[in-house]
Each structure stands twice: as structure tokens, then as C-alpha cells.
Amino acid sequence: MNPRMPKGEAPKLFLGVYARLVFPDPRDAEAVLDLMRRFSSATRYAYQRLLEGKDRKELKRAEGPLFGAPTPQMNRCTLFRLNTRYADGAIAKAKAVLDSALELGNDPRKVVLGGRGLFEQLKRKHLSGKPLEALKRRWKEKRRGLYSQGDGSKGGNLNLRLEVRNGALWLRVNLGAEKEYAYALVKTSHPQLKALLEGIHSGLPYNAELTLKEGKVYAHLSWSEALPPPVHTRANGVLGIDVNSDPYHLALAVVSPDGNLKRHLTLSLEEVDRAPNKGAKELLPWKIAHQVVATAGEHRVALATERLKYLRKSRRGDGTGRRFRRKEHRFAYRALLEKIHALAQKRGVEVVEVDPQDTSTIGMLKYAPQLSLSKDIAAALVIGRRALGYEEKLPKGYRALLFGAPAPQMNRQELKKLKEAEGNPYLKRGLSREMGKARRALSLLSAFRGSPGSRRKGTDGRNFPGAHPWRVLREGLCLPLLGREVPRDLSPLKPILLGSWERWKGSLGSHPGGGSACRNVRFG
């Protein structure tokens, strides 16, 4: 179940059909377009009133502007002349936009209903003639729509009702006045059409939304179905999933109930970038989702992913490079996982979201050298183990390294020399950033060694007294030794992991992960 879902609410699967509406009578088309205009105006009006702090009951009062046809008993005509259900739909649409803006951290007062992109283009006033007319038409169409919520007690949808007559599917549009309707033929070949027809005959409640595009009216009909109970659960193990931007791929690790690695594989996402159009770019992640869920079904295990809200996006001038910034900004983590979650729940696969804290660090430092895995597969293994409830303890070799190894100074001196010799201001800024990291690493290491606080249970997402040992190990020792880039081969860390720090320190070889041939993967 999605952790953001209210407690006590059963998970549901939402399905939909997209169709074009054809009006045999032109007068019906004009009436529906006028209703769409009034509904959209009411939605914008409701949004502004919600910003002012008004509630739904106040907006829906009988003498208010949202609904009610003018009668001789009324002193004035209402603004929008909508019935009660249309008024509910307008308020629901406005509330959804407001909640979305607040959830994303945007200023709700700056929301543009109709699209900020089109609005900014119109403000520029750089077009004339036919391009300007086309832009204005798109803007007006974006700001015209109609929405009605389904009602199970009424056998479907009272305002926008689907009817089957003479083997054809029709949409009856309530125009707001008493017993006045417009009829449109529903034309679609959507694969969910059969399920929709079955729902119509059984009185299934469905939501209907009308939109306008290039002068044609389209309908989006959606409904929900109860999800099947999960068949593949954590009792059989977990398929841990880690998404990586460089290289762009999914790392999968099948973890048994005892926490051991059974199988691992990777699925490349590079094909998504090479998709020829938007439709193909949307279809390819679904194919990846089917492969992931099929793997979970093959092993009869649950799915485990990280619970991430924000991902760091590099910017120009931070020393990361144009190529790496482009890879980070293409990284559609949430969209991909939403597809995987939706398909998994539909196929009866349990979905578990875990705290993402230090999964990559623990995988890189503990399981990658120990099991000769890549850092991405190792991170997926940590995600799977965390979903099963296992805690990651710091190995004795790393604990001895934290307190017995000398503080690394060489990397700071090398960075200082590079900065003094660098003439490019952007690259110099990146080197300054790396020097700051080195200073903080030494400070963190010193604070850890002198910290009297407890360091137990440092991987469950809470900050206990004292410094976090895995972060200190990464920031204070390993990354200064490894440099700016993490090697693909982390097996040289295995002697330290097993407690051979003194032998490695006295050897003539390079530091763990050292050597120019290995430094080919940037650490995020």
C-alpha cells in the first residue's frame, strides 16, 4: 500500500478510456461548449475563493454564484448557472490544483489554470498573424473543460451519463436546465472499452471529463477497481530495485528471507533516451515495468524501492560538467517507479518503500567489495535487506579503520594546487567545492573520533547522539582516498573490510580503488 494513502482506505486500481465525441446536432455541440466555458470559469472562481479561505459549503450555497438557474424569485442571475453536481466538480478540480501546488512546494497564488507555458508565450507578444491566432486558440482550449464525478447510488454518472443504444455508445450531457440534454456519439478503440461497457451495465460509478483540442471535444472516462490481495509477499523474499542515472539503468537484486543474495541483474534505460517521440518514451518505461514485475512474479517475492521525494539536480558552474548535468536532469525516477508500483499492485505483488538513507554508501563500502558486486547491485541488495527488516552493522575492519587510520591530507593539497593553476572560473569553482568537501570530511572525522555519543543503530533513519559511522567512513576516509570518482571495481577495499588496514597501509600499492584505470564512475 502506498504510505501516502490514508489509513483504513483499501488500495484501488484506476482505469480509463479516452474517446472522441461526435455531435450529430450542431446545436448540441454549441450548448456543450458553452457549458464547458462556464464550468472552467467556475473552477477558476472557486480556486480564488479557496485561496481566500472559504470552504466548500459556503461556495455551494443556493444563492451563491456557482450554481442555480435564474428564476423570477431571485434578485439577480447567478454567474455560472451550474447544477449541484457540476458545482461539486468545479470545487473538486480547484481543490486538486491547490493541493498539488502545496505538495510540490509551489506558491498557489502563482498557479495559472490553463498552463504557465502558454501564458508566458502570450506575455512575450513575439508572434503575429496565424501563429498568434493558433497560440490564442490553444490557450482558450486549455481553459475550457467539464468534469463530473461518478455516483454509485445513481448507477454511474448523472451529469455525463453513458448509454448504449442500437449497438453504439452515446454520452448524454446534462446542460444544467431541467430535463435538457445534449447527445454525443462516443468513438474509441481503447483496449479498456470492453471493461467500461461491462461497468455501464452493472451500474459502475465513473468520472467523466471533457476537454477541447483543435476544435474537437474529447472525453476521458475513468473508474476504480479494487486491487487483488497480494500473492507475492515479503514472506518469500524481496526484489530490491535501485535506479541509477550514470550509467542509466535499473539494478535488481533478489534477496531471500534470510537476507542473502539469490540473483542479480540490470535493465538498461538508455533506450528511453533514444525514443523517437513522446509516445514511445512513455511506452518504454511500461515495458521495463513489465520486466521488473515479471521477475518478481517468477521468484514469488515482493518489490522493494526507495522512498524519495527530491533528487539533487546539478547546475552550471558547480564543476560537474555539461554531460553529467544532462544525465541527472533526464532522471525520471518517480515516474518510472509509479509505473512499477501500479503494475505490481495489479498483479498481486506486494510493494514496500524503505528509507533511502545511505543505501548506496552501505552497498558500496560493505557488499560491493565483499561479494564482488557493482555498487548499484550492492545498493539494491541493501534496499532488499532493509525491506526485510535487517539492520546493517559496521564491520570490525571499518571500525578499526575509523579510529586507527591517519586523516587523509593529500587530496586537499592536490586540489589546492589544481585550483591555483586553473584559469577557467567555472572549473575553479568546482575545485573550490571539492576543497570544501575535503575540509568537511576532516572536520567530520575529528568530531567522530572525539564524540562521546552512542553510534548504535545508525542506519534506521534517525539521528542518534554522535556522528553517523557510515557517513564518516565515506566522507572522512574512503572518498578522500578514492578521489572525486568512485571506481567500478571496489574489491581492493576487501582487505580493509576484513581488518587488514595495517597491512594495506604499509604496502607499496595504490590506495583502495586507486589507479587511473578504475576511476571512471562519478559518485553522486
Side-chain angles (χ1 to χ4, degrees), residues 47-48 51-52 98 101-102 106-112 116:
Y47 184 82
Q48 295 299 326
L51 285 179
E52 296 172 2
L98 178 61
L102 294 175
N106 299 329
D107 187 352
R109 296 170 299 178
K110 296 183 179 180
V111 170
V112 179
R116 177 165 291 279

Side-chain angles (χ1 to χ4, degrees), residues 355-504:
D355 186 354
Q357 180 177 339
D358 300 319
T359 54
S360 298
T361 299
I362 297 173
M364 177 184 71
L365 299 180
K366 186 176 182 180
Y367 293 109
Q370 182 178 353
L371 303 177
S372 300
L373 303 173
S374 70
K375 67 179 185 66
D376 306 326
I377 295 293
L381 173 59
V382 174
I383 292 171
R385 286 174 53 84
R386 187 167 293 180
L388 293 170
Y390 291 99
E391 296 182 359
E392 303 297 346
K393 297 180 180 179
L394 196 69
K396 293 182 180 179
Y398 282 154
R399 190 175 294 276
L401 174 63
L402 283 175
F403 293 97
Q409 300 279 353
M410 185 179 303
N411 194 38
R412 287 186 59 193
Q413 300 299 328
E414 292 179 353
L415 290 173
K416 186 176 181 180
K417 293 179 181 178
L418 290 174
K419 181 182 175 182
E420 292 174 352
E422 183 59 59
N424 189 321
Y426 291 108
L427 297 180
K428 184 175 290 188
R429 190 182 306 172
L431 292 172
S432 298
R433 184 166 170 257
E434 296 298 326
M435 290 180 64
K437 286 183 178 180
R439 285 194 298 269
R440 289 192 295 273
L442 288 175
S443 176
L444 187 64
L445 180 60
S446 301
F448 180 83
R449 288 177 173 176
S451 173
S454 172
R455 291 180 290 276
R456 294 191 310 109
K457 298 183 180 179
T459 62
D460 60 358
R462 293 177 290 175
N463 292 324
F464 285 84
H468 195 294
W470 288 106
R471 270 181 213 168
V472 173
L473 190 65
R474 180 190 65 184
E475 300 288 345
L477 290 173
C478 287
L479 283 188
L481 292 174
L482 296 172
R484 295 180 63 193
E485 297 177 346
V486 176
R488 297 303 296 175
D489 181 17
L490 291 163
S491 58
L493 286 176
K494 191 170 184 178
I496 302 177
L497 178 67
L498 299 177
S500 304
W501 161 252
E502 293 295 332
R503 185 182 62 178
W504 175 85

Side-chain angles (χ1 to χ4, degrees), residues 162-304:
L162 291 168
E163 299 178 351
V164 179
R165 296 186 303 181
N166 300 325
L169 183 61
W170 292 79
L171 181 68
R172 190 192 72 183
V173 182
N174 188 344
L175 297 178
E178 186 176 359
K179 295 182 179 180
E180 186 175 348
Y181 303 105
Y183 291 89
L185 181 64
V186 180
K187 302 188 68 175
T188 181
S189 58
H190 198 278
Q192 294 292 342
L193 179 59
K194 183 179 179 181
L196 176 61
L197 293 175
E198 293 176 354
I200 294 172
H201 292 298
S202 61
L204 175 75
Y206 53 88
N207 301 329
E209 183 173 10
L210 305 188
T211 56
L212 187 63
K213 184 177 180 180
E214 297 180 356
K216 300 175 183 177
V217 181
Y218 294 88
H220 182 233
L221 310 164
S222 59
W223 66 98
S224 62
E225 294 180 358
L227 286 171
V231 177
H232 310 308
T233 64
R234 280 176 280 186
N236 302 323
V238 167
L239 175 63
I241 305 174
D242 184 53
V243 190
N244 303 276
S245 61
D246 188 17
Y248 197 27
H249 72 287
L250 285 180
L252 309 179
V254 180
V255 186
S256 61
D258 58 4
N260 291 322
L261 181 66
K262 292 177 58 179
R263 179 191 174 192
H264 62 84
L265 67 154
T266 59
L267 298 176
S268 176
L269 299 176
E270 295 290 346
E271 190 178 357
V272 178
D273 278 355
R274 297 192 294 268
N277 51 57
K278 185 177 180 180
K281 185 165 288 191
E282 179 69 15
L283 180 62
L284 288 171
W286 279 112
K287 292 183 178 180
I288 297 293
H290 277 274
Q291 296 180 38
V292 172
V293 175
T295 302
E298 176 186 350
H299 294 274
R300 304 183 63 82
V301 297
L303 281 175

